[in-house]
């Protein structure tokens, strides 16, 4: 099982918010979440309800990325870190891989592949909110905040995302998590898109978490850190089949 961490620095929002239908606002009455947290579930549902229709929000970014590549070349070298966690003979094995890429070149590659993925994606399940999954998200957010957001996906108690989700929401059979950070001001849509694009992340793990067809429930939480950085957790769960 691969888990990923995406860190994005930006100073302005890429796109203006739209108003999706109330049918996608499944967390509307969940007062245990903030409005912004509820809005993120709504935005994810907007994407999942019509993946191909979401391309209109991505295309301006691809046009801009191609222009940067043409004007400035491949761009500066950068890297991403991928952590692979597996269990062998009852022992947890963690492998950390560093992958280098050129920023402008990778942006075009990631955006192009995203548009192709959205074109080929069928309508996905609309995610319902879940208070247990939200508790799992808040537990890890609190743990991360205490430890300067250096924990990645593994808590100080050794728990992985699926461990926390199944503990706090026993009706789930599976779960996973996205973590992303933005420096500066950005809308919920910006954050969802940045995790969808997933530039620099081998395998685009955040993207395929969001587009995973077997998820049935979700919760999101945001945490401001040192007034400069805003961290987001997106938690996904699949309810046990009866």
């Amino acid at each position: 099982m691969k888990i990923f961490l995406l860190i994005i620095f930006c100073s302005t929002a890429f796109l203006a918010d739209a108003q999706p239908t109330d049918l996608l606002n499944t967390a509307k009455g969940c007062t245990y979440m903030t409005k912004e947290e509820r809005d993120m579930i709504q935005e994810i549902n907007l994407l999942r309800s019509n993946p191909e229709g979401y391309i209109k929000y991505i295309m301006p970014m691809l046009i801009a990325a191609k222009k940067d590549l043409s004007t400035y070349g491949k761009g500066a070298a950068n890297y991403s870190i991928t952590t692979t966690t597996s269990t062998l003979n009852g022992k947890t094995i963690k492998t950390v891989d560093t992958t280098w890429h050129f920023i402008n070149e990778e942006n075009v590659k990631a955006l192009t592949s995203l548009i192709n993925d959205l074109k080929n994606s069928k309508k996905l399940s609309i995610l319902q909110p879940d208070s247990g999954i939200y508790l799992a998200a808040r537990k890890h957010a609190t743990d991360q905040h205490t430890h300067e957001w250096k924990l990645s996906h593994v808590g100080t108690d050794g728990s992985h995302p699926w461990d926390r989700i199944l503990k706090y929401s026993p009706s789930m059979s599976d779960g996973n998590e996205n973590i992303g950070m933005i420096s500066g001001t950005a809308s919920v849509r910006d954050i969802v898109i940045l995790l969808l694009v997933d530039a620099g992340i081998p395998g685009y793990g955040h993207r395929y978490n969001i587009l995973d067809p077997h998820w049935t429930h979700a919760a999101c939480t945001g945490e401001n850190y040192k007034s400069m950085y805003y961290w987001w957790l997106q938690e996904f769960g699949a309810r046990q089949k009866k």
Side-chain angles (χ1 to χ4, degrees):
M1 175 75 71
K2 287 189 177 181
I3 49 181
F4 307 87
L5 176 64
L6 179 66
I7 298 178
I8 299 293
F9 293 90
C10 69
S11 58
T12 57
F14 288 119
L15 298 162
D17 288 322
Q19 293 297 323
T21 173
D22 269 356
L23 294 175
L24 305 178
N25 193 9
T26 54
K28 183 177 180 180
C30 297
T31 55
Y32 55 84
M33 295 187 200
T34 67
K35 182 182 183 303
E36 200 171 25
E37 291 166 347
R38 296 193 297 269
D39 287 347
M40 180 168 283
I41 292 180
Q42 185 179 25
E43 186 68 24
I44 292 171
N45 280 337
L46 175 65
L47 162 70
R48 289 173 65 92
S49 68
N50 183 9
E52 188 170 6
Y54 208 80
I55 291 173
K56 64 185 178 183
Y57 303 122
I58 310 300
M59 191 59 71
M61 297 176 66
L62 177 58
I63 293 170
K66 285 182 175 180
K67 183 177 180 180
D68 285 345
L69 180 61
S70 175
T71 304
Y72 304 111
K74 293 190 296 185
N78 202 353
Y79 67 92
S80 61
I81 298 174
T82 304
T83 302
T84 304
T85 303
S86 59
T87 302
L88 181 64
N89 298 325
K91 294 183 178 180
T92 299
I93 300 172
K94 184 170 72 171
T95 304
V96 179
D97 297 313
T98 302
T99 304
W100 286 89
H101 58 271
F102 294 98
I103 292 176
N104 295 343
E105 186 177 62
E106 171 59 19
N107 283 343
V108 171
K109 178 184 174 183
L111 286 159
T112 301
S113 72
L114 173 58
I115 288 174
N116 289 334
D117 284 339
L118 295 178
K119 283 181 179 177
N120 294 316
S121 292
K122 297 179 180 179
K123 181 178 179 179
L124 302 168
S125 56
I126 301 303
L127 303 180
Q128 301 298 318
D130 183 85
S131 58
I133 296 177
Y134 185 73
L135 287 175
R138 288 306 312 158
K139 171 183 166 49
H140 196 50
T142 301
D143 200 8
Q144 287 272 29
H145 196 78
T146 302
H147 293 85
E148 300 181 336
W149 286 89
K150 296 179 179 179
L151 299 178
S152 187
H153 294 277
V154 182
T156 52
D157 60 357
S159 66
H160 292 86
W162 41 91
D163 299 323
R164 295 186 291 271
I165 289 169
L166 270 58
K167 175 181 178 180
Y168 288 96
S169 189
S171 64
M172 300 296 150
S173 62
D174 190 17
N176 214 329
E177 172 182 85
N178 285 342
I179 300 178
M181 186 273 283
I182 282 186
S183 173
T185 302
S187 71
V188 162
R189 176 166 295 163
D190 296 331
I191 297 160
V192 171
I193 288 176
L194 288 167
L195 286 164
L196 267 179
V197 176
D198 228 9
I201 300 298
Y204 305 126
H206 297 102
R207 177 191 307 174
Y208 296 122
N209 239 353
I210 296 173
L211 296 175
D212 193 324
H214 94 293
W215 298 137
T216 59
H217 290 74
C220 302
T221 191
E223 186 86 7
N224 185 265
Y225 182 67
K226 293 187 176 179
S227 301
M228 290 179 58
Y229 309 109
Y230 209 93
W231 290 87
W232 272 97
L233 281 79
Q234 297 173 338
E235 309 284 331
F236 304 97
R239 175 152 286 175
Q240 295 176 13
K241 295 181 179 179
K242 296 182 179 179

